[in-house]
Amino acid sequence: KLLQSGNSKLGAKMLMFNIPAAKEICGRKCPGCYSYKAYRIYPNVLPAQQLRYEASQKSTFVNDIFSEIKRKRTPFKYIRWHGSAGEFYSQEYIDKVAEIAKKVPSITFYAYTKRLSDFDFSKLASLPNFILINSLHFGKLNYGPLSEAPSNAFICPSYTGATCGDSCTYCQTKQAQTHGVWFKQH
């Protein structure tokens, strides 16, 4: 199973694809990385993420994900790529993700990345159904205390109880790709 149901902050109409957050994959270890904290609390998630990472390296990855999407019986509207962990780790991987999104134009995909300067994301970001949000949009990581949020930032309302993909759909729009989003640090 490569796609999983969303976590408590993500709505019922959302699936996720996660791979491990590790310096070897992400290219960095960010201070306060919530994935590392989650691994300490929920160590059982790491093996499944490792299996997804290995699956993403196979030549069959695009068709494997596409087949899984077609088999889903419960309707969904969104797939959050790297929903709780992971990062784009190679150009080949980015190109595979673009192929997947092209195959299912009725699904909106979205992801956050700190690696815009490391790879060519132009194909992926230009797809009408893929929203690629720069995690460094404001010149630094896009999370922290609300007092540090830039005045022009859209502030994710999840800390007020909003559910991503249900009561808030900002990150599933091209506006988020252009203007970024700020998360309250928790």
Side-chain angles (χ1 to χ4, degrees):
K1 184 174 174 182
L2 298 173
L3 297 169
Q4 62 191 103
S5 298
N7 59 30
S8 62
K9 292 182 187 175
L10 303 181
K13 297 176 186 169
M14 186 155 332
L15 297 175
M16 295 188 304
F17 179 80
N18 295 311
I19 59 177
K23 188 172 182 179
E24 302 78 31
I25 296 169
C26 296
R28 68 183 79 206
K29 182 176 178 189
C30 299
C33 175
Y34 63 87
S35 294
Y36 280 103
K37 286 190 272 185
Y39 296 152
R40 286 193 303 273
I41 299 168
Y42 308 105
N44 59 325
V45 301
L46 196 51
Q49 289 178 0
Q50 183 64 35
L51 289 174
R52 290 184 189 102
Y53 171 65
E54 292 166 8
S56 74
Q57 296 176 316
K58 294 180 180 176
S59 61
T60 59
F61 180 61
V62 172
N63 287 330
D64 293 344
I65 290 280
F66 182 64
S67 295
E68 191 169 322
I69 289 170
K70 287 190 331 189
R71 285 193 311 269
K72 292 289 181 189
R73 295 179 191 265
T74 305
F76 65 96
K77 294 171 69 173
Y78 309 110
I79 295 178
R80 181 165 170 191
W81 213 260
H82 309 139
S84 61
E87 178 59 279
F88 294 100
Y89 61 85
S90 73
Q91 190 63 53
E92 181 182 6
Y93 176 56
I94 293 164
D95 294 344
K96 287 178 182 179
V97 175
E99 282 184 59
I100 293 164
K102 279 184 198 175
K103 283 179 166 273
V104 282
S106 61
I107 302 296
T108 299
F109 293 77
Y110 71 109
Y112 304 88
T113 186
K114 300 173 192 81
R115 304 207 66 190
L116 284 179
S117 62
D118 296 338
F119 303 108
D120 179 4
F121 286 92
S122 58
K123 273 198 297 191
L124 189 61
S126 69
L127 292 172
N129 66 325
F130 202 102
I131 315 306
L132 185 65
I133 303 169
N134 183 2
S135 294
L136 303 171
H137 182 85
F138 305 104
K140 58 182 179 178
L141 286 171
N142 63 339
Y143 68 89
L146 290 178
S147 61
E148 292 181 14
S151 60
N152 62 339
F154 175 85
I155 299 171
C156 175
S158 66
Y159 75 96
T160 65
T163 305
C164 188
D166 285 336
S167 57
C168 181
T169 57
Y170 175 80
C171 291
Q172 292 84 39
T173 68
K174 285 292 185 178
Q175 186 176 359
Q177 181 169 300
T178 306
H179 300 294
V181 64
W182 183 268
F183 295 95
K184 180 182 183 280
Q185 192 170 13
H186 56 282

